[in-house]
Amino acid sequence: MLWAEQGPFGLALLCQNQEGLPCFLRRSVGEVGASDLWQDFNQNGRMLWDYDSAGPGEVALAGELPRQGNLALGLGSSKEAAATNAWASLVQGFAEISGSYREAWLHWHEGHRHPATFKRKFSAAVQALYQSSKTVLKVHADRTFPGALVASLSVPWGEASDSRGGYHLVWSRDLVESAGAALIAGMTEEARQVLCYLISTQQADGHWLQNQWLGGKPFWQGIQLDEAAFPVLLASLLRAHDALGAIAVRDMVQRALRFILREGPVTGQDRWEEDAGVNPFTLAVAIAALVEGAEILGGKAAELALVVADYWNARLEDWTFVRDTDLAKQHGVRGYYLRISPQDVLTHDGAENEWVLIKNRAHDPHLPACEQVATDFLQLVRCGLRLADDPHIQDSVKVMDALLRSDTPSGPVWHRYNGDGYGEHRDGSPFDGTGLGRGWPLLVGERGHYALAAGEDARPYLEAMAAMTGSGGLLPEQVWDTDPIPEKHLFPGKPSGSAMPLVWAHGEFIKLCHSVLAGQAVDRPPATWKRYQGRPPQISYRLWRLRQRPRRIGVGQELRILLHEPFQVHWGINDWDQVQDTPPRTGNWATWQSCRRTNCRQVPFSGSPSTGRTRDGLARIFP
């Protein structure tokens, strides 16, 4: 046999003839690039080497096959365990195993048929991709850890990458987006398993790892606020479909909301895992999680979550929308949502003019925040925070379509943001840490959801996504969107060298199909839509926190103070008249009503960010 082992992982490759005997003719193992089979043929024109061991390092296994026989690849916790699995499979017989495998898939497909209206509503190409997309979700589900789905079984630009992880990792965001599609497509048990997996891998402080191996071991270490919010939305979606059953979600939701309240509205990374700040997509998901989580928790926890959700929703445009910029004038609009606002926007004027680094570029273009535009604001409509015809949204769509849309033979496709560097170079060479961002079929689906909310026919977006698949019918992460380079297999509107399939993109396609049938986004958070109906709330208070300090409040407004730990406020009015010490109402929460003719002003705060206390134990607010 041929076998190999690394740490707790082993594999074995065996060949069996018709008499049931091992039948490899010659075997050899070698170091890749030095003594592997390719080098043997390159130097000798045929297989001459027969090395019996190689490594440690990157090794290749090679064997000469007979004209007839069966091959079995075994995997296990050691090379011996892998060999046992492989030989047991060969002994059982190919026909029996193949038949069982086929029957299992046919049974699964029989239970997941297309809705009856599909044939009348969608083209054959869309129906075919819908079926493939459901299969992609099922195939990417792990068998050892039920509910775990990797982002892709591929490695983007694998021919030029030595990444150990590739996309063979679990992101909670991708996982929830895929689980939502599975639930809508009738794969209820698969969606329930995802929620159970997420509950089992939540960190003690309430967040989820940026990404992880299937068993929960960390890989990258970033903090993304939306990844703490998405599992709450999945719990809410399952609850709305009466599919939670006996799954206990209260503790998970409470810890997730506590993390969101403590860290938000700032995220350590946006959904593209690049920059910190206040991002429209992340904030939309976080607000929705607070509202949906409040429905689950009830009581004082719900009251607090809704106070913060309303405040963040009401301040969205203050933090993420700019007006009267050169870019706005160039496109004939009043303003637009930013890709991301620096954290300083919470405490300082002019933060939109600060430089925001664009990663994955050989030379950063040094664009200020006010000159960076993304598709992320569309999530405000998807989550029910803004209507599709809101002037802020409509103006932003004009700028987005002008800057980020590319028209290809397959249809229109959108880039993540202007200046993106995650994609092939101009000459078609693979992304190697730098490059130029290309169009994402995933974003075609998101743009289609917006079109549906705006009263347009979203089916052309489905047709475009179906046309962007590769020869195997799979959706790529990105498509090539400029002049063809045939020698590198790059053609406009067709897959680039990025990951394929991207499970998230297949999930988005499934959801858009069902959204077209329903006439609205099928994953719109129900309690969030009920509370806001697509309009910003009218609030009569300002929220003061260590990282979120308003500089003034209006006449008649309340000043509400929220800190991480219990505190006391020492305060007075009119030059320290009527000085009082006021404890918080519920441990870490306090409210003041401003005087009719006075405004609050900010004073230096000397407390420790970790405790929310001043040196003398008092937070001082001076009206």
Side-chain angles (χ1 to χ4, degrees):
M1 70 182 74
L2 294 163
W3 60 5
E5 191 173 62
Q6 182 183 47
F9 305 106
L11 66 82
L13 187 67
L14 291 92
C15 186
Q16 181 193 57
N17 64 18
Q18 291 176 313
E19 287 74 39
L21 301 174
C23 61
F24 268 127
L25 300 179
R26 281 181 287 188
R27 288 150 290 134
S28 183
V29 293
E31 299 279 353
V32 171
S35 54
D36 58 36
L37 185 63
W38 191 95
Q39 299 293 334
D40 192 0
F41 269 80
N42 186 48
Q43 295 179 31
N44 304 310
R46 56 197 177 99
M47 185 175 182
L48 293 180
W49 298 339
D50 57 354
Y51 301 117
D52 62 2
S53 64
E58 187 176 3
V59 299
L61 314 181
E64 182 183 1
L65 299 173
R67 294 196 174 274
Q68 272 191 316
N70 291 325
L71 279 170
L73 174 66
L75 303 171
S77 56
S78 66
K79 62 183 186 295
E80 291 85 1
T84 300
N85 286 334
W87 193 249
S89 177
L90 287 169
V91 170
Q92 187 176 354
F94 180 82
E96 182 176 335
I97 291 177
S98 175
S100 298
Y101 182 81
R102 177 180 172 83
E103 286 301 317
W105 269 109
L106 289 175
H107 177 74
W108 185 83
H109 282 297
E110 187 66 25
H112 297 85
R113 290 181 174 273
H114 293 178
T117 52
F118 262 48
K119 286 187 177 180
R120 298 195 307 270
K121 201 77 174 181
F122 300 125
S123 69
V126 168
Q127 293 182 59
L129 181 53
Y130 178 84
Q131 186 63 49
S132 296
S133 295
K134 289 196 300 182
T135 305
V136 165
L137 297 186
K138 186 67 174 175
V139 165
H140 281 74
D142 189 58
R143 305 303 186 265
T144 305
F145 302 99
L149 278 77
V150 295
S152 178
L153 288 171
S154 67
V155 175
W157 298 285
E159 75 277 17
S161 172
D162 58 1
S163 169
R164 289 186 62 239
Y167 280 13
H168 306 163
L169 298 158
V170 180
W171 280 260
S172 69
R173 172 181 46 253
D174 297 48
L175 191 53
V176 171
E177 295 279 25
S178 300
L183 178 63
I184 298 303
M187 299 162 62
T188 304
E189 187 55 34
E190 287 86 343
R192 285 168 47 84
Q193 288 177 342
V194 168
L195 182 60
C196 293
Y197 174 82
L198 286 166
I199 292 172
S200 70
T201 56
Q202 185 181 23
Q203 303 300 293
D205 66 356
H207 84 286
W208 278 264
L209 299 168
Q210 179 181 354
N211 56 21
Q212 62 194 27
W213 297 105
L214 291 161
K217 186 176 180 179
F219 189 65
W220 290 340
Q221 304 292 329
I223 299 293
Q224 298 171 15
L225 195 66
D226 66 320
E227 290 203 301
F230 267 115
V232 178
L233 298 188
L234 178 57
S236 173
L237 191 62
L238 282 164
R239 185 170 181 255
H241 284 256
D242 197 25
L244 267 183
I247 301 175
V249 300
R250 183 179 179 83
D251 177 66
M252 178 274 286
V253 170
Q254 185 160 343
R255 285 191 288 139
L257 263 57
R258 186 181 295 129
F259 182 86
I260 293 168
L261 289 171
R262 184 169 63 248
E263 298 295 326
V266 174
T267 180
Q269 292 179 341
D270 58 18
R271 67 167 170 166
W272 305 123
E273 309 187 297
E274 296 186 3
D275 289 295
V278 183
N279 171 265
F281 180 96
T282 299
L283 195 51
V285 175
I287 292 169
L290 290 175
V291 178
E292 302 301 316
E295 285 282 303
I296 294 171
L297 296 179
K300 290 182 178 180
E303 180 186 356
L304 175 58
L306 293 175
V307 163
V308 176
D310 287 352
Y311 186 71
W312 288 355
N313 192 0
R315 300 299 306 279
L316 267 169
E317 281 70 34
D318 294 336
W319 293 335
T320 65
F321 191 87
V322 291
R323 298 169 177 83
D324 300 323
T325 66
D326 291 341
L327 198 58
K329 295 172 184 175
Q330 178 183 340
H331 294 284
V333 298
R334 288 157 292 187
Y336 47 86
Y337 289 99
L338 301 177
R339 170 195 166 212
I340 196 165
S341 296
Q343 180 176 332
D344 286 349
V345 74
L346 302 178
T347 55
H348 299 109
D349 292 328
E352 68 275 7
N353 296 315
E354 294 180 16
W355 164 59
V356 174
L357 174 67
I358 294 181
K359 299 181 179 180
N360 303 319
R361 292 289 298 269
H363 302 285
D364 178 51
H366 287 276
L367 295 177
C370 63
E371 293 183 18
Q372 296 187 31
V373 177
T375 65
D376 288 4
F377 69 91
L378 295 178
Q379 192 71 12
L380 301 175
V381 178
R382 186 83 165 259
C383 283
L385 307 183
R386 296 294 180 270
L387 295 173
D389 61 359
D390 183 297
H392 300 92
I393 296 291
Q394 289 181 323
D395 281 353
S396 299
V397 169
K398 290 179 183 177
V399 178
M400 176 191 75
D401 284 349
L403 294 181
L404 306 181
R405 170 174 167 160
S406 293
D407 291 310
T408 76
S410 299
V413 65
W414 279 262
H415 295 231
R416 300 189 301 177
Y417 56 87
N418 56 321
D420 185 10
Y422 185 54
E424 279 94 348
H425 293 269
R426 293 186 189 279
D427 63 359
S429 56
F431 173 79
D432 55 3
T434 66
L436 291 175
R438 305 294 170 183
W440 288 55
L442 164 71
L443 301 182
V444 178
E446 293 186 355
R447 180 63 174 82
H449 270 101
Y450 170 74
L452 183 66
E456 303 169 16
D457 184 1
R459 285 176 294 181
Y461 298 90
L462 290 170
E463 295 290 349
M465 293 180 76
M468 292 173 185
T469 57
S471 57
L474 302 177
L475 281 168
E477 179 184 64
Q478 301 177 41
V479 295
W480 188 248
D481 54 8
T482 187
D483 295 336
I485 307 179
E487 63 272 20
K488 294 183 177 177
H489 310 287
L490 295 171
F491 301 93
K494 288 298 181 181
S496 67
S498 59
M500 186 171 69
L502 184 66
V503 180
W504 182 4
H506 281 278
E508 180 69 10
F509 183 85
I510 289 172
K511 286 193 273 191
L512 184 54
C513 286
H514 285 273
S515 295
V516 168
L517 296 180
Q520 65 182 42
V522 289
D523 59 352
R524 186 175 66 190
T528 307
W529 173 252
K530 181 180 178 181
R531 186 171 185 83
Y532 299 124
Q533 296 283 304
R535 296 178 176 85
Q538 300 300 310
I539 61 174
S540 59
Y541 59 90
R542 298 296 295 274
L543 192 61
W544 196 99
R545 306 180 67 186
L546 290 176
R547 295 195 306 178
Q548 189 177 319
R549 306 186 296 272
R551 294 173 291 281
R552 62 191 68 84
I553 65 171
V555 172
Q557 278 191 320
E558 288 181 353
L559 175 65
R560 299 183 178 183
I561 297 176
L562 175 64
L563 299 180
H564 298 165
E565 296 188 13
F567 63 93
Q568 191 173 38
V569 177
H570 185 68
W571 66 287
I573 62 173
N574 298 332
D575 198 22
W576 282 102
D577 187 21
Q578 303 175 28
V579 174
Q580 302 179 51
D581 289 341
T582 303
R585 183 160 60 93
T586 58
N588 59 350
W589 176 258
T591 302
W592 283 263
Q593 182 76 29
S594 72
C595 300
R596 286 184 301 143
R597 294 190 300 275
T598 62
N599 291 327
C600 274
R601 60 186 176 85
Q602 182 184 340
V603 296
F605 186 80
S606 56
S608 163
S610 62
T611 64
R613 300 177 185 270
T614 58
R615 294 192 188 98
D616 58 3
L618 301 174
R620 293 194 173 99
I621 302 297
F622 295 71

